[in-house]
Amino acid sequence: VSTQSTWDFMYLGIDVSTQGLKAQIIDLSTQKICCSESINFGKEMPEYKSPNGFIIQENPLIYHSDPLMWVSALDLIFHRLKQRHFPLNKIVGISGSGQQHGSVYLNESFEKVLANLDPNKSLSEQLVVTLSRNSSPIWMDRSTSVECSELQKQFGKKLQIETGSPAVERFTGAQIRKFYKENPANYNKTSYIHLVSSFMASLLAGKSMSMDYGDAAGMNMFNLKTLCWDKDIVGFIAPNLMEKLPNVVCSSTVGGKLSTYYSKYGMTPGIPVVVWSGDNPNSLVGTGAAEYGLAVISLGTSDTFFAAMKDFKTDPAGYGHVFGNPAGGFMSLTCFTNGSLAREKIREECAKSWEDIDKAVMQESHPGNNGNMMLPYFTAESVPLVLKPGVKYFGSEAFVNRTANISVKMRGLLESQALSLRLHSKWIGESFKRIRITGGASESSAFCQILADVFQAEIEKIAVTDSAALGAALRAANAVTGISFGELFKIFTITVSNFKQNPE
């Protein structure tokens, strides 16, 4: 057991998701999450005109965000914590989580600006001059089919065998290639290309930070066998790309020290900044599932199914992916775009609160929903790949005509989502008897029971729904103190409720 002094400190985890920024602070002395704070981009930062965290485009396949929105949110979260009179000086380590695949493009002034951050100015007004591209393509983008075809034609099966995934529209490699082809002048002005995770870590450390294995694996450029950038793939994507990419390191690496800029909020300059990772690798840790045998379903803007892998293997259908596990080894992941966005569409159609809808589904509808189902592709879908959005209804006349009652409408959606999760996770080759659930929709008892029945597995809920931010805080504690993840999981990822499957 670690010494008492090791347990006397606090660690901060920050998560930059699609729709907001969240912070979790864990206190090892009290063994509790002592502070949580969050910002909703659309509601609280309207100046960026991104009601759902991304810029509205005419082309339904293009999804970009303003990177300055993420920058401003970092200032705002620290301001909020200071306003609450939280003792930020007690934090002795930081790490974070970024929505995967999103990329930020920066010019040669980036390092110099970071090294000379002025606490009398905001981060955004200082960083604006460093951008070589004003918007960042994010994980929802599906506009790179041509570039994916080019990658697949050039490398074939090698792409999936070595990077863990076939060419995927939302992955960063295809996005970089498209940028180079469409805007070579601004590409040539780009000196640094970061993921959301490594970009945000750089803001904290006051220097360009490394990426970690977990997030780099979501780019179609990182060789998971050599744990290095694949020179052939990188060379094909765009000229001189290798010199624009950060180093890639183990997820437990202390990559830098906190910039003096943050002393204005009461933070201690010089404390360790652990490299950030992607939201899914962080959630694997934050749900206590980084060790083999336990799967996770994360119900957020997108829905994801992921688990620590016993052995490296890839999905023959090409929908599942392999990323680095922050606790070591690899993790599997399958991502479904139409998650909470679809659930919210049906909720709005019903014009009821989630509490009322959840109760109705539990009390007024039945498993199987009398055959009423839907394909809920409100936006372009990644699994299975559907580039043309459109919702399809199957079943009774009332259901197809969208006049069925609330419980039938929502059960039709939830059962369809659960069945898709099960179908497209079979490639992992494991029959999980325990599945942990996280994300906003994990609050729905109806959905938890549906998942238990569809997977014929016990569904476990943990106390924290913001598993990515918690995972980042746990990773910071592990990297700085050496306390094992096993010890940390016993304290911070305890199951609070279970849903057992109905065998019928």
Side-chain angles (χ1 to χ4, degrees):
V1 178
S2 305
T3 61
Q4 181 64 40
S5 60
T6 303
W7 291 84
D8 276 344
F9 301 106
M10 298 179 184
Y11 295 86
L12 169 63
I14 299 171
D15 173 41
V16 182
S17 67
T18 312
Q19 300 186 58
L21 186 149
K22 301 167 185 173
Q24 296 262 12
I25 301 173
I26 59 172
D27 186 339
L28 296 190
S29 63
T30 62
Q31 302 190 1
K32 292 181 179 178
I33 297 169
C34 56
C35 185
S36 298
E37 187 60 75
S38 64
I39 294 164
N40 181 284
F41 297 142
K43 294 178 181 177
E44 299 175 70
M45 304 176 73
E47 64 271 25
Y48 289 99
K49 299 177 181 178
S50 301
N52 291 302
F54 48 81
I55 302 161
I56 303 299
Q57 307 272 357
E58 288 186 12
N59 187 334
L61 299 180
I62 296 176
Y63 284 85
H64 285 214
S65 292
D66 187 338
L68 293 178
M69 178 176 69
W70 304 326
V71 174
S72 297
L74 188 63
D75 260 334
L76 183 55
I77 203 83
F78 279 113
H79 175 71
R80 292 261 183 92
L81 292 168
K82 182 182 179 181
Q83 277 189 320
R84 290 174 59 174
H85 303 291
F86 187 84
L88 293 172
N89 61 312
K90 292 187 177 181
I91 294 170
V92 296
I94 307 176
S95 191
S97 161
Q99 52 178 288
Q100 290 200 257
H101 317 302
S103 45
V104 185
Y105 301 77
L106 303 136
N107 61 37
E108 62 182 4
S109 70
F110 182 55
E111 284 258 40
K112 184 177 180 181
V113 169
L114 286 179
N116 296 280
L117 289 173
D118 182 352
N120 295 311
K121 298 178 180 178
S122 70
L123 286 172
S124 61
E125 65 182 300
Q126 296 178 79
L127 268 294
V128 64
V129 298
T130 70
L131 297 175
S132 58
R133 187 180 192 183
N134 291 330
S135 65
S136 295
I138 62 170
W139 65 273
M140 297 173 72
D141 193 278
R142 298 292 180 275
S143 67
T144 58
S145 293
V146 171
E147 289 72 27
C148 285
S149 296
E150 292 169 347
L151 277 165
Q152 208 62 50
K153 181 179 179 180
Q154 180 72 16
F155 297 105
K157 291 184 178 180
K158 164 187 164 83
L159 203 62
Q160 185 177 20
I161 292 169
E162 297 191 354
T163 74
S165 304
V168 182
E169 283 80 1
R170 69 183 183 276
F171 276 37
T172 324
Q175 296 289 345
I176 294 171
R177 182 165 175 79
K178 183 186 178 191
F179 178 51
Y180 159 67
K181 287 165 58 180
E182 294 183 349
N183 199 333
N186 281 356
Y187 173 81
N188 289 330
K189 292 177 183 177
T190 300
S191 298
Y192 306 86
I193 297 178
H194 275 287
L195 293 174
V196 178
S197 60
S198 56
F199 172 64
M200 298 299 290
S202 300
L203 301 185
L204 291 175
K207 69 170 190 173
S208 183
M209 283 277 277
S210 299
M211 295 178 187
D212 88 308
Y213 297 152
D215 215 9
M219 301 178 74
N220 272 148
M221 305 191 303
F222 185 66
N223 191 313
L224 288 171
K225 295 184 176 180
T226 64
L227 296 181
C228 297
W229 295 119
D230 190 295
K231 292 181 180 179
D232 293 338
I233 299 172
V234 170
F236 175 79
I237 286 172
N240 306 313
L241 176 55
M242 188 69 78
E243 63 193 44
K244 304 176 193 293
L245 297 172
N247 294 327
V248 185
V249 297
C250 173
S251 304
S252 59
T253 302
V254 175
K257 298 178 180 179
L258 186 66
S259 165
T260 56
Y261 174 85
Y262 299 91
S263 60
K264 69 180 185 179
Y265 297 114
M267 295 288 291
T268 305
I271 62 173
V273 178
V274 178
V275 291
W276 285 36
S277 190
D279 51 359
N280 294 301
N282 274 291
S283 285
L284 188 73
V285 173
T287 53
E291 295 164 348
Y292 177 73
L294 184 63
V296 178
I297 293 174
S298 176
L299 302 170
T301 306
S302 63
D303 291 342
T304 51
F305 185 101
F306 52 89
M309 300 183 80
K310 190 175 184 180
D311 302 299
F312 181 95
K313 65 186 297 187
T314 57
D315 178 8
Y319 291 132
H321 310 292
V322 180
F323 298 145
N325 178 348
F330 303 99
M331 64 176 286
S332 61
L333 180 137
T334 308
C335 177
F336 305 79
T337 308
N338 286 275
S340 67
L341 291 174
R343 291 185 287 272
E344 191 60 29
K345 289 283 187 183
I346 298 298
R347 187 198 68 79
E348 290 171 358
E349 191 175 301
C350 296
K352 295 287 184 179
S353 69
W354 275 115
E355 185 179 7
D356 289 342
I357 292 173
D358 203 45
K359 189 182 297 182
V361 173
M362 294 285 280
Q363 296 178 357
E364 300 171 16
S365 64
H366 307 283
N369 208 32
N370 293 320
N372 293 308
M373 297 182 66
M374 71 173 72
L375 295 177
Y377 306 141
F378 290 91
T379 187
E381 179 56 66
S382 53
V383 179
L385 183 62
V386 178
L387 294 178
K388 187 177 180 180
V391 182
K392 295 183 179 180
Y393 296 81
F394 306 89
S396 69
E397 184 178 349
F399 186 75
V400 172
N401 292 334
R402 301 167 74 169
T403 57
N405 66 36
I406 295 170
S407 62
V408 173
K409 282 183 181 179
M410 187 58 77
R411 183 177 281 275
L413 169 64
L414 298 180
E415 288 191 346
S416 299
Q417 290 181 322
L419 286 165
S420 189
L421 281 161
R422 188 187 71 172
L423 175 65
H424 294 291
S425 60
K426 284 186 175 180
W427 68 274
I428 301 168
E430 299 290 336
S431 180
F432 295 99
K433 299 303 179 187
R434 294 169 55 221
I435 299 174
R436 287 206 163 170
I437 191 168
T438 184
S442 65
E443 295 298 309
S444 167
S445 295
F447 203 7
C448 288
Q449 188 60 57
I450 288 169
L451 288 165
D453 294 342
V454 167
F455 278 91
Q456 285 295 287
E458 189 170 339
I459 298 296
E460 302 177 349
K461 285 178 63 175
I462 60 172
V464 179
T465 57
D466 298 330
S467 56
L470 175 59
L474 295 176
R475 288 181 47 249
N478 166 262
V480 174
T481 67
I483 298 172
S484 72
F485 281 122
E487 282 186 89
L488 293 169
F489 291 163
K490 290 176 185 176
I491 300 166
F492 293 103
T493 64
I494 299 169
T495 301
V496 293
S497 62
N498 300 64
F499 293 80
K500 296 188 181 297
Q501 66 270 35
N502 294 312
E504 296 86 9

